[in-house]
Amino acid sequence: MTLYLRHDVHAVAIGEDLALLDLARDAYLCLPGGAVALEPGARDVIRSGAVADALLAGGVLGPEPPAARSAPPPLPTRTLIHQPLSRAVSPRVLAAAVAVPADIRRARRGEGLAAWLALAEARRPLSRDAEAVEAAARQFWTVGAWLPIEGECLVRSAMLVAFLRRMGLSADWVFGVRLWPFAAHCWVQFGEVCLNDDVERLWPYTPLYRR
């Protein structure tokens, strides 16, 4: 029987090891030597064997293939956070930015990672115009420091994603991991450009999931 990762479980091979993100359980998992179980060229097909048995016992597999999922993008090669502003911050940007703390408070009241990922959802189509996304992200990098919200990478990225959504824009919210020692990190990028972090900080991480 062919086994598949659950629709809310994402995996990536890092060397000989297998790293997984279980969105429903808000948990990262690592199986040393587990990369052999991931079908080459597939992101959700698990080969039968001891690793598959362990994953099945852990509740992350199922008999049905999930809906088609896109691979996370490769690591960005440049950042815009050190670029000077090319234009003054507009009233529209300020209005969208001051609404972001309410979005973050709502996410904090929710349950688990799903409440945060919901910040990327929109009721209308969002633009992925590169010039508009980069310009808006650069402006938010300037005004976001004045917002009454503090937090690590999840909060910082959630703020930018929520802001872009309010501006009618979208970018990739990427979650990555490194192993030995294990660490997880997330950031926002558009193509090869990181919108809210230094690329040097991202080099140790392998992208695992994008929203």
Side-chain angles (χ1 to χ4, degrees):
M1 178 178 66
T2 302
L3 294 172
Y4 304 89
L5 294 172
R6 288 196 338 253
H7 71 91
D8 52 359
V9 176
H10 300 264
V12 66
I14 303 178
E16 297 181 351
D17 306 322
L18 187 67
L20 303 99
L21 171 59
D22 188 333
L23 296 176
R25 299 176 184 174
D26 296 327
Y28 286 95
L29 306 170
C30 175
L31 279 179
V36 66
L38 193 62
E39 188 71 28
R43 297 196 57 81
D44 46 35
V45 181
I46 301 298
R47 294 171 168 176
S48 60
V51 175
D53 293 342
L55 293 173
L56 189 61
V60 301
L61 300 184
E64 300 295 330
R69 62 179 84 188
S70 59
L75 287 173
T77 59
R78 57 190 177 94
T79 183
L80 55 67
I81 64 174
H82 303 298
Q83 299 173 4
L85 281 178
S86 60
R87 67 189 73 172
V89 176
S90 69
R92 184 185 177 208
V93 165
L94 290 175
V98 298
V100 166
D103 294 332
I104 299 303
R105 287 192 292 269
R106 184 171 64 252
R108 282 175 166 165
R109 289 194 299 268
E111 294 187 6
L113 188 57
W116 293 95
L117 295 178
L119 294 176
E121 297 176 0
R123 298 179 181 178
R124 58 191 173 97
L126 300 177
S127 171
R128 289 184 64 87
D129 178 80
E131 183 177 354
V133 169
E134 292 183 24
R138 184 65 191 88
Q139 291 194 320
F140 186 73
W141 183 258
T142 298
V143 302
W146 299 97
L147 298 178
I149 297 290
E150 295 182 358
E152 298 301 323
C153 62
L154 178 64
V155 175
R156 294 196 305 270
S157 296
M159 291 173 65
L160 177 54
V161 167
F163 167 78
L164 290 175
R165 188 202 70 227
R166 288 185 172 275
M167 293 289 291
L169 304 167
S170 73
D172 292 325
W173 189 354
V174 182
F175 292 74
V177 294
R178 71 178 185 189
L179 304 179
W180 319 115
F182 176 85
H185 188 46
C186 68
W187 60 92
V188 183
Q189 72 180 79
F190 192 95
E192 64 176 16
V193 182
C194 184
L195 305 179
N196 67 336
D197 210 338
D198 279 305
V199 293
E200 293 82 2
R201 186 180 180 187
L202 307 182
W203 288 343
Y205 295 93
T206 299
L208 171 58
Y209 167 69
R210 74 165 155 190
R211 178 66 174 84

